[in-house]
Amino acid sequence: LYQITGEPHYLNESKRTMNWINSTLKDPVDGLYFDNIARNGNIEKTKWTYTQGIMIGAITKISEVDPNYSLEDAVKLANASLSYFDSVGYQTGNEKNAFNAIYFKYLLFLTAKYNNYYFTQRVVDTLNKVTNQTMEELTYTKPDQNLLGYAGALHLAALVAVPEGKR
């Protein structure tokens, strides 16, 4: 909203939110983000693809207006999360397909800004691998049994189908 309106309170709120998220939900060991914090203060320490994707998108966007954040911060998180999920595996099925679609949407958003061939190729190769795995698994389920899984898979397939310059 700050970029649209120029009103400083939007930028200040974004900074405040980013600072809180970084101090509360960022794992100091690997730099990835935990899923959420409950009302009682317990932190859910699962690291989902969508959580990393949202933060990659947020850092990429805020880096356009706040010198305390840079594209390199987003790239560092992207590389750490790609390595993490390459290691533990990309979960698919049901809502996980939608989680992956959110993740890759923001990774592709970052590639459009960062403009590094090797990084972009890593993201696209991983997107293709996860999309193929997802589509393969869906051949054994009926759409009415897994509507969210199909919706996420469709989103992944759309990300693969859109030409690189148009994402």
Side-chain angles (χ1 to χ4, degrees), residues 28-53:
V29 176
D30 60 13
L32 299 181
Y33 291 85
F34 300 125
D35 186 46
N36 66 68
I37 186 169
R39 290 181 189 262
N40 65 7
N42 290 336
I43 294 175
E44 169 53 53
K45 294 194 174 184
T46 304
K47 295 172 183 166
W48 294 111
T49 51
Y50 83 94
T51 309
Q52 311 319 307

Side-chain angles (χ1 to χ4, degrees), residues 55-75:
M55 291 309 300
I56 289 165
I59 295 167
T60 300
K61 199 67 181 155
I62 202 168
S63 74
E64 296 173 359
V65 294
D66 184 347
N68 292 316
Y69 292 92
S70 71
L71 274 184
E72 289 299 327
D73 296 327
V75 170

Side-chain angles (χ1 to χ4, degrees), residues 57-161:
I59 295 167
T60 300
K61 199 67 181 155
I62 202 168
S63 74
E64 296 173 359
V65 294
D66 184 347
N68 292 316
Y69 292 92
S70 71
L71 274 184
E72 289 299 327
D73 296 327
V75 170
K76 184 177 177 182
L77 173 57
N79 280 321
S81 65
L82 284 162
S83 295
Y84 175 81
F85 292 114
D86 283 348
S87 171
V88 301
Y90 289 85
Q91 295 184 356
T92 58
N94 297 325
E95 72 278 355
K96 309 303 183 304
N97 294 343
F99 291 2
N100 292 337
I102 293 166
Y103 178 61
F104 284 105
K105 172 184 172 180
Y106 288 111
L107 281 171
L108 291 170
F109 175 67
L110 174 59
T111 65
K113 304 279 185 182
Y114 184 57
N115 198 24
N116 177 289
Y117 172 80
Y118 298 103
F119 176 73
T120 300
Q121 198 58 50
R122 181 180 186 193
V123 170
V124 170
D125 288 348
T126 306
L127 169 60
N128 286 327
K129 179 182 83 173
V130 171
T131 301
N132 289 337
Q133 175 187 341
T134 300
M135 296 304 189
E136 208 171 287
E137 290 173 6
L138 285 177
T139 60
Y140 303 105
T141 63
K142 295 179 182 176
D144 62 337
Q145 296 172 335
N146 188 358
L147 191 56
L148 188 56
Y150 270 85
L154 181 61
H155 192 163
L156 285 169
L159 290 172
V160 170

